[in-house]
Amino acid sequence: MHLKDVGRVDVQKEAVLVLGKIFSEEEGKMSDKSVGDAFSALGDKGVLESAAGASAAALMTNILADYGFLLERDNALVIKSICKRVGTPKALHDQEANTFLALLNNLTTSETNCIAVADSLIEKGTMALMAKNFLDYNPQMEDETYPADAEWDAEDNWQFMGPILCNFARVENIRTFLFQRFDQNYIAPLLKQIRSKNPTRRRGVVATLRTLLFKNECHWRLVVEENCCLHLMLPLVVSHETFEEVSPFSDYDKNGMDVLLSLKEDVEGKTYEQDENTLCLILDCLRLLCVKRVIRYELRKQKLYPVLRNLDLALTENE
């Protein structure tokens, strides 16, 4: 088959284009077996790791959108091939990484596939390299680096790693990997990504945090040691100058509140998180944190209620 002609990149790329045309013209007419065979051929290690790999990955993503049953298959080998392609230091600035990670995001929606590859990715250090590529990004540099109307699909090659981490975080070994303390602290840089202006990146990170919060035993470290509430609450602070119904924080409100939160309400035009899905995920994280009494006590100490009170007033005003 021309797809496996590793020595001829031009032939491989042409084969991908031909397959794409077939799927476009025969949409809804191909048998499940034919679709499955074509998907397997595109996902072959020799294809994904070749110069034609990005074209193949893009086509596979489109195929998955039309043939959802493929997600129920054993895609472990495909996932490993993608991770091998992007799990390198040089992939940090690879313009094609976004294409591979978009496919990986779809494939890892299957918890079975995540479980099948998790140990291998950790043992070989691939997961560590992928996490590093994602977390080395500094959201605070966005104002200097990107224009206000940045097209994030083109600018942020690693934006889909957030949703991918969310998918993998369902696996216990991955959660253990993320919570390690000695080789690398992944939680602190993960929380900082919530400040990104890229909605895909910050939505994926908050979704990852929510998945981690389903395990009550991690609440203390996240709230007390990593101060996760500060990062969750910053997008919820609203300015009293922006919303008529919102009153400034009182001295009592500020007593115990993180100074960054109290200062945010004075920022001109400050409003709440505008991505509705991300906003719901943040509120769900806070709900999960309220499960244990000792954590609820910590939340009261940190004076989170005034922020939520003003958020409710702002949301009501915008209805």
Side-chain angles (χ1 to χ4, degrees):
M1 190 175 183
H2 294 308
L3 274 174
K4 297 185 180 181
D5 194 348
V6 180
R8 295 286 304 280
V9 175
D10 56 332
V11 173
Q12 282 186 311
K13 288 184 176 180
E14 185 62 30
V16 172
L17 287 174
V18 171
L19 267 179
K21 290 179 181 178
I22 292 174
F23 272 97
S24 177
E25 295 171 359
E26 301 294 325
E27 185 177 355
K29 301 177 184 178
M30 297 176 66
S31 68
D32 287 355
K33 183 179 184 307
S34 297
V35 172
D37 289 345
F39 191 80
S40 296
L42 288 164
D44 184 84
K45 177 181 178 181
V47 178
L48 287 179
E49 295 181 13
S50 73
S55 299
L59 178 54
M60 292 173 76
T61 300
N62 292 335
I63 293 172
L64 284 174
D66 295 326
Y67 301 94
F69 75 89
L70 293 169
L71 291 171
E72 301 172 9
R73 298 174 11 137
D74 179 1
N75 291 307
L77 291 178
V78 179
I79 292 174
K80 287 181 179 179
S81 293
I82 297 172
C83 291
K84 183 178 180 181
R85 175 68 184 259
V86 298
T88 64
K90 68 178 183 179
L92 176 62
H93 302 293
D94 186 354
Q95 294 294 322
E96 295 181 341
N98 204 35
T99 303
F100 287 103
L101 292 170
L103 174 58
L104 186 60
N105 181 32
N106 283 307
L107 292 173
T108 53
T109 56
S110 164
E111 186 173 357
T112 301
N113 282 320
C114 288
I115 294 171
V117 302
D119 286 345
S120 173
L121 295 180
I122 293 173
E123 290 169 6
K124 293 181 178 180
T126 309
M127 181 59 72
L129 283 168
M130 291 170 65
K132 185 177 187 303
N133 283 347
F134 178 64
L135 298 176
D136 276 353
Y137 181 88
N138 184 0
Q140 293 180 309
M141 297 296 292
E142 287 178 346
D143 287 336
E144 300 177 16
T145 309
Y146 303 110
D149 57 348
E151 293 289 338
W152 292 109
D153 284 345
E155 301 287 0
D156 190 351
N157 300 330
W158 279 80
Q159 61 176 348
F160 289 112
M161 192 62 198
I164 291 167
L165 282 176
C166 173
N167 295 336
F168 271 114
R170 294 171 295 179
V171 183
E172 184 173 356
N173 286 355
I174 297 293
R175 291 195 298 272
T176 301
F177 164 82
L178 290 173
F179 274 110
Q180 64 179 289
R181 295 175 182 271
F182 303 107
D183 294 337
Q184 174 74 43
N185 180 350
Y186 291 108
I187 299 300
L190 184 70
L191 291 171
K192 291 178 182 177
Q193 303 303 315
I194 298 175
R195 301 190 188 187
S196 174
K197 293 182 178 180
N198 182 348
T200 301
R201 177 176 282 265
R202 65 175 184 271
R203 188 189 312 123
V205 169
V206 177
T208 300
L209 184 60
R210 185 188 63 164
T211 302
L212 295 174
L213 287 171
F214 279 111
K215 292 294 182 180
N216 292 347
E217 59 268 23
C218 75
H219 287 191
W220 181 263
R221 177 180 172 187
L222 285 169
V223 172
V224 178
E225 298 180 28
E226 304 290 355
N227 199 14
C228 76
C229 290
L230 170 63
H231 300 277
L232 288 171
M233 299 304 287
L234 283 171
L236 305 185
V237 177
V238 295
S239 170
H240 55 87
E241 296 179 357
T242 306
F243 299 94
E244 294 180 358
E245 300 297 324
V246 173
S247 301
F249 293 138
S250 66
D251 290 340
Y252 176 78
D253 291 337
K254 295 178 181 179
N255 185 19
M257 181 184 292
D258 192 293
V259 67
L260 287 177
L261 288 179
S262 60
L263 289 175
K264 270 290 183 181
E265 73 156 353
D266 294 324
V267 175
E268 184 179 353
K270 178 67 173 76
T271 186
Y272 51 83
E273 168 63 54
Q274 293 298 290
D275 182 82
E276 185 176 347
N277 290 328
T278 304
L279 178 60
C280 290
L281 286 167
I282 291 174
L283 295 175
D284 209 22
C285 286
L286 295 172
R287 179 186 62 81
L288 290 168
L289 285 171
C290 290
V291 170
K292 298 178 73 173
R293 179 184 298 176
V294 64
I295 301 299
R296 291 199 299 272
Y297 175 74
E298 286 296 323
L299 301 185
R300 284 196 296 271
K301 273 176 53 179
Q302 294 182 23
K303 292 295 183 71
L304 303 189
Y305 170 72
V307 178
L308 295 173
R309 177 198 64 209
N310 285 356
L311 170 67
D312 182 60
L313 291 171
L315 288 169
T316 302
E317 186 176 323
N318 273 347
E319 285 181 352

